[in-house]
Amino acid sequence: MNTRHAVVSGASIAGLSTAFWLRRSGWEVTVLERATTFRDGGQNVDVRGVGREVLAKMGLTEAVRAQNTTETGTVFVDASGEVLVELPSDGPDGATAELEILRGDLARTILQHLPEGVEINYGDTVAAVQEEADRVTVTTNAGRVLRADLLVIAEGVRSTTRELLFEGQVDSRALGITMVFGTIPRTTDDDSRWRWYTTVGGRQVHLRPDQHGTTRAILACTEAEDPTRLDRTEALARIRDRFSGVGWEAPRILDGFDSSDDVYLDHLTQIRMPVWHRGRVCLAGDAAWCVTPMGGGGASLALVSGYVLAACLSGTGSLTTGLAAYEAWMRPLVDDVQQLPRWIKPFAFPRTRLGLALRRMADKVLMSPVLAPLTARFTRIAQTDRELPPLAATAR
């Protein structure tokens, strides 16, 4: 029997997890990545729920734990930095999870432990795809012609290959929220907690520790227009205007972003699709179901998707049956976090002083000893009572 060959487009968490598990189950794997080198950096992600099981199966739990961001808890603060309430962080899936790690550190850990034989091509992307009954042919922008049994699109929320192959089936839902992420110098006032400041005008300011001696900062606000379409200077100027007069650590963060080489702007967009596969092509991670930070659990879902895809394909000789089983197993996990209640945005981003006062009153009630155990359930993402499908592994 000929060894099956998969092309994976995208080398972040979903793509690397897919490459890991397909290779582990006997596939030949070629990875394409748009960036010219490995993309390091990024903000906090965490491994929750069934994602911890997948990480354990990879043998990477301790490697991830060793790169913990050092964050010990999550608190809401006021304009002077005084703590208003502390969020529940008990157990592995609290507001600050047991396995907190930076996105780049998690992706690099998987990369460094890929089974031998995974080929990664940086600085190259999918240019054209020709689908036939017995194979899919991928032509890249560098001129490679790759003939494969399967193409996995793991390019993220703004996937161009997904738009090319699934035209008319992609429901992109902008949430009207802009988030700016960046790394800034640590000061002696920074501590080991995720400090979260919410103020009027639909604005939030966040500071989080990392294990590299710097601080990860986030500015988030309601915003109808998408600033990611602007160049960096213009986009940051707009954000500076938007956060004028906010106070607390906002001026420091804005100044830090001006000189940081690790700034990323995102206009939060959910991706919803009726199907995640067609013929010999399937989607994984944010390219299929971006849940955004508002839903949470994106890294865990990306990690799990690679394992479930490989396991479902290893359990059958039929590609069609395997892809259908993959989608059936993953959908309940995705649906659980993708259905955002209508009240979540005005609650998270109050615009008026009255709205802010009501929000802070609600926070105190929800974090009270009586309701805190119930509130803690909102951070239990990627949970399932189902067993992971078994992987028919081939030693490599």
Side-chain angles (χ1 to χ4, degrees):
M1 180 182 294
N2 293 330
T3 301
R4 293 188 289 182
H5 178 212
V7 174
V8 179
S9 183
S12 192
I13 296 168
L16 291 174
S17 176
T18 299
F20 182 103
W21 288 111
L22 284 177
R23 183 60 178 159
R24 179 71 68 84
S25 61
W27 289 65
E28 298 291 341
V29 182
T30 303
V31 179
L32 304 175
E33 168 55 44
R34 177 182 300 276
T36 55
T37 60
F38 173 77
R39 293 187 299 116
D40 218 330
Q43 294 288 312
N44 293 52
V45 298
D46 43 45
V47 183
R48 298 175 180 269
V50 70
R52 293 196 306 275
E53 293 183 47
V54 171
L55 195 68
K57 287 178 179 292
M58 299 172 94
L60 299 181
T61 300
E62 293 310 313
V64 168
R65 195 189 307 277
Q67 298 175 83
N68 188 278
T69 61
T70 72
E71 187 174 290
T72 58
T74 305
V75 294
F76 292 157
V77 301
D78 63 16
S80 64
E82 293 297 316
V83 175
L84 298 172
V85 295
E86 181 169 1
L87 277 66
S89 289
D90 296 333
D93 290 330
T96 291
E98 176 187 1
L99 297 177
E100 289 277 348
I101 186 171
L102 299 176
R103 183 213 64 81
D105 290 342
L106 177 56
R108 185 180 292 280
T109 299
I110 302 171
L111 175 70
Q112 292 174 339
H113 292 85
L114 287 177
E116 183 179 351
V118 175
E119 177 187 350
I120 299 184
N121 299 285
Y122 289 103
D124 203 2
T125 56
V126 175
V129 177
Q130 182 178 352
E131 300 176 74
E132 301 175 27
D134 61 343
R135 69 182 179 185
V136 56
T137 301
V138 177
T139 304
T140 77
N141 282 296
R144 294 183 178 89
V145 178
L146 304 171
R147 294 174 176 84
D149 299 278
L150 176 67
L151 169 62
V152 182
I153 303 169
E155 299 171 350
V157 60
R158 292 174 177 83
S159 168
T160 55
T161 310
R162 178 196 63 212
E163 300 301 316
L164 174 68
L165 299 179
F166 290 86
E167 184 179 2
Q169 298 185 63
V170 183
D171 180 7
S172 299
R173 300 188 182 186
L175 301 184
I177 297 169
T178 289
M179 300 186 78
V180 190
F181 307 87
T183 305
I184 63 175
R186 182 175 294 183
T187 71
T188 55
D189 292 331
D190 291 337
D191 60 27
S192 63
R193 300 170 299 178
W194 175 4
R195 292 180 291 162
W196 180 331
Y197 172 54
T198 299
T199 189
V200 296
R203 296 171 292 184
Q204 298 177 354
V205 181
H206 304 252
L207 289 175
R208 307 185 74 171
D210 66 28
Q211 77 278 26
H212 299 297
T214 50
T215 293
R216 306 288 158 151
I218 308 170
L219 298 176
C221 61
T222 53
E223 188 74 56
E225 297 184 30
D226 182 357
T228 64
R229 302 178 186 277
L230 307 174
D231 65 36
R232 171 182 165 133
T233 300
E234 189 175 358
L236 287 180
R238 178 178 291 183
I239 293 298
R240 184 175 285 275
D241 288 343
R242 187 74 175 81
F243 280 81
S244 175
V246 163
W248 191 48
E249 298 280 0
R252 167 196 167 195
I253 294 171
L254 289 164
D255 291 343
F257 283 177
D258 285 340
S259 57
S260 174
D261 60 359
D262 182 28
V263 173
Y264 172 70
L265 285 88
D266 190 16
H267 195 60
L268 301 191
T269 304
Q270 277 193 340
I271 298 297
R272 302 188 183 205
M273 299 181 64
V275 293
W276 297 332
H277 70 280
R278 186 194 70 193
R280 294 181 174 272
V281 179
C282 75
L283 298 130
D286 282 353
W289 56 67
C290 183
V291 296
T292 77
M294 293 289 286
S300 296
L301 292 173
L303 194 66
V304 172
S305 67
Y307 174 85
V308 173
L309 175 61
C312 290
L313 291 175
S314 74
T316 177
S318 167
L319 191 74
T320 300
T321 301
L323 293 178
Y326 154 71
E327 182 164 334
W329 204 97
M330 287 298 303
R331 262 201 194 272
L333 288 184
V334 173
D335 290 346
D336 186 50
V337 292
Q338 211 166 40
Q339 302 297 330
L340 297 176
R342 292 189 177 184
W343 53 263
I344 193 67
K345 181 178 173 181
F347 179 79
F349 294 90
R351 301 194 61 82
T352 65
R353 292 188 181 278
L354 176 60
L356 180 60
L358 293 173
R359 159 67 191 275
R360 289 182 173 174
M361 184 183 304
D363 288 340
K364 290 182 179 180
V365 172
L366 292 171
M367 307 306 163
S368 66
V370 174
L371 292 182
L374 179 62
T375 304
R377 296 181 183 178
F378 289 104
T379 62
R380 294 172 188 166
I381 296 165
Q383 301 279 352
T384 180
D385 294 330
R386 297 168 296 157
E387 291 187 4
L388 285 165
L391 181 84
T394 299
R396 289 286 178 182

